[in-house]
Amino acid sequence: MEDLKEQFELYLRFELKYSEFTIKNYCLDVQNFLDFLEEVKVDYKDVNKNVIRNYMERRARHITYRGSPESTRSIRRAMSSLKKFYAFLKFRKYVDS
């Protein structure tokens, strides 16, 4: 899994030419999602809409270290991160759809 995350980071950096800030946040979002998958015992290849919906609902209920709910902007970015990650996985043929 570490290899996939590193490849994704390189993809963002060199192929998409994203900023360091975006790369950092996308990679953090993907790591958080992979941690969630491990917790619920779902392989990244078996993810479906229900798994993503559950993850996003959890993010929406999450209280930050500041004591406030996670911002809508952060949740939208997380969704964008996951879309980009799965587009990368599909492009590299790690997943079928």
Side-chain angles (χ1 to χ4, degrees):
M1 188 57 65
E2 287 299 317
D3 187 46
L4 273 182
K5 291 185 295 186
E6 288 175 22
Q7 288 180 42
F8 179 60
E9 182 178 343
L10 293 172
Y11 172 74
L12 295 175
R13 178 170 282 117
F14 296 112
E15 293 185 43
L16 300 182
K17 302 194 184 313
Y18 281 7
S19 73
E20 286 301 316
F21 181 78
T22 300
I23 293 167
K24 176 184 162 219
N25 284 306
Y26 272 38
C27 289
L28 181 61
D29 290 335
V30 167
Q31 182 60 57
N32 288 336
F33 181 65
L34 294 174
D35 290 345
F36 169 79
L37 292 180
E38 188 175 312
E39 182 181 322
V40 297
K41 296 176 180 26
V42 174
D43 189 82
Y44 75 94
K45 294 177 183 177
D46 299 325
V47 168
N48 59 36
K49 289 180 183 181
N50 288 330
V51 173
I52 292 176
R53 185 178 299 116
N54 289 339
Y55 174 70
M56 298 313 284
E57 287 173 357
R58 179 183 284 193
R59 294 253 342 211
R61 290 190 310 268
H62 179 254
I63 303 298
T64 68
Y65 68 93
R66 294 182 186 135
S68 59
E70 194 156 1
S71 72
T72 303
R73 189 176 188 178
S74 292
I75 293 168
R76 284 186 184 141
R77 188 203 62 230
M79 192 72 226
S80 181
S81 301
L82 295 182
K83 285 180 183 178
K84 192 60 68 178
F85 182 62
Y86 275 90
F88 161 77
L89 293 175
K90 187 175 179 181
F91 175 71
R92 296 289 167 93
K93 300 190 184 337
Y94 292 116
V95 295
D96 294 327
S97 58

